[in-house]
Amino acid sequence: MSKQEPGARTRPAGVEPRLVIRLLGEVAVALDGRPVPELTSPRMQRLLALVALAPDLAVRRDRLALRLWPDSTGAQARTNLRKLLHDLRRSLPGPDGFVEAGAQTIRWKAGPSTWIDVVAFTDALARGDPAAAVRHYGGDLLPDCPDDWVLAERERLRRLSVDALAELAGSAAAEGRDADAVDHAHQLLRIDPLHEPAYRLLMTALARRGRRSEALRTYQRCVRTLDRELGVAPEPATTAVYDELRRPAPAPSVEGGRTLIGRAAEWHTVSAAWQAAVGGAAHLLLVTGEPGIGKTRLVEELARRAAAEGHAVVSSRAYQAAGGPPWGPVIDWLRSDPVRPGLDTLADGWRAELARLLPELRAGHPQADAGRRHHLLDAVRRGLLARGRPLLLILDDLQWCDSDSLELCGFVLQRSPAAPVLVAGTARDEEVCEAHPLAWLRRSLGQAGALTEIALGPLGPGATAEMAAAVSGKALDAAAAARLWKETGGNPLFVVEAVRAGFGESTARPVLTPTVHAMITARLQRLRPDARRLVEVAATIGRAFTIEVLAAAMGRTEDELADTLGELWQRHILCERGPALDFSHDTLREVALELISPARRRLLHRSVAVALERHHAEDLAPVSARLGAHYESAGLVSRAVEAYERAATHAYRVFALDDAITVLERALRLLADWPISEVRDAMELRLRSALGVPLVARRGYGAAAVQHSYERALTLHRRLGRRPSPAVLRGLALHAVATCRFDRAAEMGGELVAAGSVDHTALVEGEYVLGVTGFWRGEFAAAERHLTAAIDEYRPEEAPLHIARYAQDPKGVCLSRLALTRFFRGDLGAADRTMRAALRCAAELGHPMTTGYVRAFAAILATLAPEAHDLPASVAALAAITSTMHIGYFETIARMLGGWRDVLDGDLGGIRTIREVTDLLRREQRLHLTLGLSLLAQGFLRAGDPAGGRSAIADALHWTTRTGQCYLLPELLRVDAELLALRGERTAAVATARRAVDAATAQGAPWLGARSRATLVRVAMSSG
């Protein structure tokens, strides 16, 4: 179904709505182009629907309260409503412009500043514009709400959308616009799968477009659906269409004589995946196999047929050559003809996000705030799906694809599972290890049932002979065909290259070059000298290229290259890929590169770098990684380092953290061979400082690479006679915290506070470091003092500086830590209020690292007191943010707390999960080892296994003594007392419980003390 951006629909002339509310399908609220997640909770959704869908009509407070809380008393319902209205007004600036709350009634103020999809939908129908109406219909009204009044209104709107789609499909069919008729019929059947007229129209339109087999499958789907849902057979009119389609039809001709050979079963799977996607099942089709096996050919055939049917087809590919731009394939998709027009329908906030990747969108759209990577992912998703038509996204050679583009594929498919989109990718499986981003994508989509894999094998003898005949134009005799199959192994590329190399052209015994490498070498060496020179430059470029860049690198004009390019195209060495040229197969490029001598290759890399620099002079940032790779291969190290540094800045700006790390590490490797000098050290210091933030964001402060980078930066500061920068001090401090070296953390925190006289962000970060250090030590009063100071000193206008220098914003982080501190100190109400403030702060900022941190500690708070918090929801929220970040620190916490959730639900398999996580924590993230061991011990307690529990407690107490991480000491002793009591050791249990009480008292931790005293009373009574 079409889901254009609401901000672009049915607006009053010249007016941009400030508040956009979507209640149909995926519920969303945006203010000034920015999401407002506080207004999408289930109860808030119902409030908005009840009030906003009655514009300018007053709704009585008492009736509204009882609608929202039917099981509560009238007084309690009214109290709940007051709180909900307070939350609503607090989330809207100038709320009186939207909501009028009187003593007895609530009224929504309709006007040009507000856009609501339900209103836009019904207004479009009222003015006789069904096309606009279905664009506004994003799905069922409040799909997660079971209230009776919602069900009735949901059904009414659904029927209206079905009628509108039926009208559009009928008009399209009558006018011969079969592609539109198919799209509308598919959309209709997704809403109402029992609508027989739509099945008939769809079958007829598909048949007219030459998709007879799909039309027949549509009838079978109709039969199954009617039988399952109603227990009836199709109407006679539907059966008559089916009978007409069953009559024998002439076999369809293959356009241009192109056909697949020996891939009938694979093609059936490909076709089924595409049809499922067209029907509203977003999917990844992954075709794997060795080089030359026909992966790209299979996907290209799908692209050809999908395009012939009028669907949107967009292609890109990844390359082995270093220096690919961040998000390169995604940028290709967004700039493609089928997708680009849809970007104009997006609201300004989403276009501003896309401007990070597409500089041409920056005019009129100021750069979005830093640190909103998930907003960029969502903007790309919306841009790709903006036109609402079936979309085939092709991405060749996924084994070389950047992690961000792969993550985007998963994001689109998982966030829009009902979108008519298929991502068709190819990959060399032998080059995909377990740590490759594609492996993660396979696992996640496989678990979601959104993955189809095809492993291509070699052709059989018959198909090999058929392919040889298709290439040469004549059949091979049986003996030659047998030898060809034996010597090529049925690899299609080898077969084609063998025939082009002359196999079977003479009556003498055919001679086959031993390897495909030798065959391609022979073919390239037969080229004229000017053609060979052009191939050398093209291979050096390393990826698809424009004629302008090729000509500049060769020092020739485009006209002078025309004949040579034509020859290479005719010989199937080069081919067109959209507006660019490329090798027809990567193996041709690889062999061509190997034939260039090292000395000449250096010269060619320099020529290519200069050509690229001139061609992209107005904006070098997106191609800087390529420039660095070419300058590095040319031996121009200083220019390579300069380009890599510029590339890292660009990669970080578009949230391509892995790319930023890669180019900075390449630059540092080049610097390692430079002679020591002040200039060299200053450059390394710059690179090290830049490397710290993406390393932290991807791997966490506890990673060894983070420590090495910041320690080296500290050494360089001292060698250069400079005061260590706050970023380095804070990085080392947080690494010390993460590795439980609290004395060093406190020392670094003090240095940061001292540096606050020069740099105010250092003061805030220093107080934060001292606060969390105090917390982990169990010094809760000091922790509260420092964390409160950090929050008081925080300046909102410095948020971008904090994120750029320190990888997160301190306000939300400090609030979440202060909430936990107040909880331990016994002020449970203040703890809950503070954690809610932390979550609001993170939501407003929209920075993933900060949000992940806050969500992690909100989930830890829910773990410690599950009776007062929604632990499953907290763990799910943390898992949701980690699924788009892939930061090991947060993923580990989410998994550990998920195991504890399972234990509380009675699933003792959660103990195994917690044990696995604690084993991981010992190796990688020891900061949360104590908590993990505490939960493990409590799991054993619930399972009646005191020996296993006491072993975990002993381990935790040893770690506490060794590191001084004492924040859970009373809890560990309390749990140990419970385990001793379970073993019948009552005297020891009482003594241990008393130690727990004493430890909590010494720490000034009333919550821990109350738990310990309760255990003491329990074990003392049982012993008496």
Side-chain angles (χ1 to χ4, degrees):
M1 172 151 304
S2 179
K3 290 189 179 182
Q4 294 184 6
E5 283 305 301
R9 308 174 196 151
T10 324
R11 299 171 180 164
V15 177
E16 181 78 21
R18 293 193 63 202
L19 183 65
V20 173
I21 302 175
R22 298 180 62 188
L23 303 175
L24 296 171
E26 181 182 352
V27 178
V29 180
L31 181 68
D32 296 328
R34 298 179 183 278
V36 187
E38 298 89 342
L39 298 185
T40 57
S41 66
R43 198 81 67 180
M44 189 67 78
Q45 292 178 21
R46 297 200 286 275
L47 173 64
L48 286 173
L50 285 166
V51 177
L53 295 184
D56 295 322
L57 296 179
V59 182
R60 290 185 59 81
R61 277 180 176 261
D62 52 356
R63 292 180 182 175
L64 191 58
L66 290 176
R67 275 274 183 95
L68 293 170
W69 290 276
D71 298 326
S72 300
T73 64
Q76 184 60 54
R78 287 190 294 274
T79 299
N80 294 342
L81 177 61
R82 282 195 298 273
K83 181 181 181 304
L84 194 62
L85 286 170
H86 173 73
D87 292 341
L88 172 64
R89 292 167 64 83
R90 185 174 55 190
S91 300
L92 296 175
D96 293 339
F98 302 103
V99 182
E100 180 183 288
Q104 302 296 324
T105 61
I106 308 295
R107 185 174 69 86
W108 185 268
K109 295 182 178 180
S113 62
T114 304
W115 186 95
I116 305 173
D117 58 356
V118 180
V119 176
F121 171 72
T122 54
D123 285 353
L125 290 177
R127 65 174 184 270
D129 188 353
V134 299
R135 286 199 300 272
H136 300 313
Y137 189 82
D140 283 345
L141 175 69
L142 302 183
D144 297 326
C145 178
D147 293 0
D148 290 342
W149 70 270
V150 173
L151 296 177
E153 182 64 6
R154 180 186 298 158
E155 183 58 28
R156 184 182 76 86
L157 296 173
R158 185 185 290 161
R159 297 314 311 169
L160 289 174
S161 70
V162 166
D163 293 343
L165 283 164
E167 179 183 346
L168 290 171
S171 298
E175 296 168 7
R177 294 182 288 109
D178 289 324
D180 291 338
V182 168
D183 286 346
H184 293 316
H186 274 307
Q187 293 171 20
L188 192 161
L189 290 171
R190 282 197 291 271
I191 300 170
D192 182 3
L194 302 176
H195 197 285
E196 275 200 70
Y199 282 110
R200 292 195 292 270
L201 187 149
L202 178 58
M203 291 159 63
T204 303
L206 287 170
R208 283 204 296 258
R209 293 187 61 75
R211 295 156 64 181
R212 180 170 167 272
S213 60
E214 185 183 348
L216 295 173
R217 289 197 301 274
T218 299
Y219 174 78
Q220 297 299 336
R221 178 158 61 99
C222 174
V223 171
R224 291 193 302 270
T225 303
L226 292 174
D227 181 62
R228 182 179 66 249
E229 300 295 332
L230 303 177
V232 300
E235 297 171 355
T238 308
T239 304
V241 174
Y242 173 67
D243 290 339
E244 180 67 23
L245 292 173
R246 292 179 65 194
R247 294 178 183 173
S253 60
V254 180
E255 180 182 326
R258 299 172 62 189
T259 187
L260 291 170
I261 296 174
R263 300 300 189 196
E266 291 86 351
W267 173 251
H268 177 77
T269 303
V270 168
S271 183
W274 170 238
Q275 295 308 325
V278 169
H283 216 68
L284 170 65
L285 170 67
L286 181 60
V287 184
T288 62
E290 65 183 29
I293 205 66
K295 305 182 295 294
T296 301
R297 176 69 187 89
L298 187 62
V299 172
E300 284 178 345
E301 183 64 15
L302 172 61
R304 186 182 68 80
R305 299 197 190 187
E309 293 169 357
H311 298 305
V313 178
V314 180
S315 298
S316 186
R317 64 186 297 113
Y319 292 91
Q320 186 176 22
W327 306 89
V330 174
I331 293 171
D332 290 343
W333 287 345
L334 291 172
R335 284 183 171 145
S336 66
D337 290 340
V339 172
R340 181 61 184 83
L343 305 186
D344 295 331
T345 69
L346 299 180
D348 286 348
W350 298 117
R351 285 171 58 82
E353 289 292 343
L354 290 178
R356 297 179 185 275
L357 304 181
L358 307 177
E360 61 268 26
L361 296 183
R362 291 178 191 164
H365 298 287
Q367 193 70 30
D369 293 341
R372 300 165 67 89
R373 186 172 192 273
H374 64 302
H375 285 262
L376 176 58
L377 288 169
D378 206 18
V380 174
R381 176 182 70 91
R382 292 168 181 268
L384 292 173
L385 304 180
R387 303 190 72 183
R389 55 192 292 207
L391 176 64
L392 175 60
L393 297 170
I394 295 176
L395 185 43
D396 222 350
D397 286 322
L398 289 173
Q399 74 277 359
W400 297 325
C401 188
D402 64 288
S403 59
D404 299 290
S405 294
L406 288 173
E407 181 179 336
L408 183 278
C409 293
F411 184 85
V412 169
L413 299 177
Q414 291 178 314
R415 287 292 299 272
S416 301
V421 58
L422 178 71
V423 178
T426 69
R428 302 180 183 181
D429 231 3
E430 69 274 11
E431 297 187 33
V432 179
C433 63
E434 187 62 25
H436 195 286
L438 179 56
W440 169 85
L441 184 64
R442 279 168 128 165
R443 286 193 300 271
S444 60
L445 294 181
Q447 292 166 1
L451 172 67
T452 295
E453 286 198 60
I454 299 174
L456 283 186
L459 299 176
T464 298
E466 184 181 350
M467 178 170 285
V471 174
S472 66
K474 58 186 177 183
L476 297 179
D477 61 57
R483 280 193 296 274
L484 180 64
W485 178 72
K486 180 180 179 181
E487 297 186 46
T488 62
N491 182 294
L493 176 64
F494 294 10
V495 173
V496 170
E497 290 299 324
V499 173
R500 287 176 178 163
F503 185 93
E505 289 183 356
S506 69
T507 56
R509 184 183 188 280
V511 178
L512 185 64
T513 314
T515 66
V516 72
H517 184 287
M519 292 184 228
I520 294 174
T521 298
R523 187 146 75 95
L524 293 177
Q525 288 177 339
R526 288 200 297 268
L527 294 173
R528 293 183 294 106
D530 56 341
R532 288 179 60 182
R533 283 194 295 272
L534 191 152
V535 166
E536 288 178 344
V537 176
T540 303
I541 292 174
R543 60 193 63 245
F545 53 87
T546 62
I547 298 177
E548 296 93 329
V549 170
L550 179 70
M554 295 186 69
R556 307 279 294 278
T557 67
E558 295 179 37
D559 289 343
E560 290 172 337
L561 297 181
D563 290 342
T564 307
L565 286 169
E567 175 189 345
L568 294 172
W569 180 81
Q570 289 175 343
R571 291 178 176 268
H572 304 284
I573 292 173
L574 297 182
C575 64
E576 291 181 336
R577 296 197 189 277
L581 294 173
D582 201 354
F583 284 88
S584 59
H585 197 281
D586 286 311
T587 308
L588 287 166
R589 183 190 351 263
E590 294 163 9
V591 174
L593 272 175
E594 291 176 13
L595 295 177
I596 307 172
S597 69
R600 178 159 174 72
R601 195 179 302 174
R602 287 165 69 97
L603 291 175
L604 291 176
H605 276 293
R606 180 172 184 170
S607 298
V608 170
V610 171
L612 285 171
E613 217 164 40
R614 289 174 180 171
H615 187 68
H616 297 278
E618 293 184 2
D619 187 8
L620 289 176
V623 297
S624 289
R626 289 175 64 189
L627 287 172
H630 285 299
Y631 278 128
E632 180 181 353
S633 297
L636 301 174
V637 176
S638 61
R639 300 192 71 171
V641 171
E642 177 187 344
Y644 283 142
E645 186 176 12
R646 189 170 56 240
T649 301
H650 172 70
Y652 188 71
R653 187 178 67 81
V654 298
F655 311 122
L657 303 181
D658 291 328
D659 284 337
I661 293 169
T662 296
V663 293
L664 287 168
E665 288 179 340
R666 289 180 74 95
L668 287 166
R669 282 196 294 272
L670 292 176
L671 274 184
D673 295 330
W674 282 25
I676 295 176
S677 69
E678 186 172 341
V679 171
R680 178 229 171 274
D681 286 351
M683 183 175 292
E684 184 185 353
L685 177 57
R686 239 181 16 252
L687 296 173
R688 291 282 178 195
S689 299
L691 179 59
V693 172
L695 272 179
V696 166
R698 268 303 189 222
R699 303 174 192 174
Y701 276 103
V706 172
Q707 179 189 19
H708 172 72
S709 190
Y710 281 125
E711 291 282 10
R712 177 62 179 164
L714 182 63
T715 299
L716 291 167
H717 272 294
R718 290 170 176 163
R719 183 186 292 175
L720 292 166
R722 300 178 184 177
R723 183 187 300 274
S725 71
V728 170
L729 290 173
R730 201 267 201 175
L732 289 171
L734 266 294
H735 181 270
V737 169
T739 52
C740 300
R741 293 180 296 149
F742 300 116
D743 288 342
R744 191 177 193 213
E747 177 188 345
M748 294 291 177
E751 289 191 45
L752 278 165
V753 170
S757 59
V758 178
D759 184 333
H760 186 260
T761 66
L763 172 62
V764 177
E765 298 291 343
E767 294 287 3
Y768 159 62
V769 168
L770 293 173
V772 296
T773 300
F775 174 86
W776 293 119
R777 283 174 156 172
E779 299 166 358
F780 298 120
E784 183 168 11
R785 185 174 66 254
H786 287 297
L787 291 169
T788 302
I791 294 166
D792 291 343
E793 288 291 341
Y794 175 82
R795 297 172 182 172
E797 64 272 17
E798 291 179 343
L801 275 178
H802 284 287
I803 291 171
R805 292 176 179 175
Y806 312 115
Q808 62 193 28
D809 181 76
K811 184 177 180 182
V813 169
C814 288
L815 283 168
S816 70
R817 302 308 303 273
L818 181 60
L820 209 58
T821 303
R822 287 173 170 169
F823 180 80
F824 275 59
R825 299 199 74 197
D827 195 344
L828 308 189
D832 283 346
R833 290 193 297 275
T834 306
M835 187 60 79
R836 287 197 297 272
L839 291 167
R840 283 197 303 273
C841 178
E844 291 167 2
L845 185 65
H847 178 242
M849 186 76 174
T850 304
T851 302
Y853 195 107
V854 172
R855 285 289 182 191
F857 281 91
I860 289 172
L861 179 59
T863 297
L864 295 173
E867 68 283 352
H869 300 87
D870 191 341
L871 176 59
S874 297
V875 172
L878 175 59
I881 190 70
T882 59
S883 69
T884 61
M885 293 168 60
H886 311 305
I887 297 177
Y889 176 77
F890 297 133
E891 290 175 343
T892 302
I893 295 175
R895 189 172 169 222
M896 175 177 71
L897 302 187
W900 179 242
R901 172 204 59 205
D902 294 343
V903 170
L904 293 182
D905 287 343
D907 179 3
L908 296 182
I911 296 175
R912 182 174 60 255
T913 300
I914 299 172
R915 191 205 302 269
E916 291 171 354
V917 172
T918 56
D919 290 342
L920 180 65
L921 290 171
R922 291 179 211 279
R923 299 191 301 270
E924 297 181 3
Q925 298 287 350
R926 296 180 177 179
L927 187 61
H928 292 283
L929 178 59
T930 305
L931 176 60
L933 290 169
S934 170
L935 297 177
L936 181 61
Q938 292 179 71
F940 282 125
L941 178 64
R942 286 174 173 266
D945 181 359
R950 292 215 70 212
S951 175
I953 289 293
D955 198 357
L957 289 172
H958 172 74
W959 181 250
T960 296
T961 302
R962 176 182 166 189
T963 64
Q965 188 187 36
C966 298
Y967 80 110
L968 278 182
L969 177 59
E971 180 70 356
L972 297 174
L973 293 170
R974 184 195 71 80
V975 175
D976 196 27
E978 298 274 11
L979 290 162
L980 286 165
L982 182 63
R983 284 201 344 188
E985 300 180 29
R986 309 299 181 186
T987 302
V990 170
T992 303
R994 286 198 177 108
R995 288 175 58 203
V997 172
D998 292 343
T1001 302
Q1003 289 182 348
W1007 179 76
L1008 292 171
R1011 287 170 64 84
S1012 299
R1013 281 190 293 275
T1015 294
L1016 176 59
V1017 169
R1018 188 162 50 252
V1019 299
M1021 291 180 63
S1022 64
S1023 64

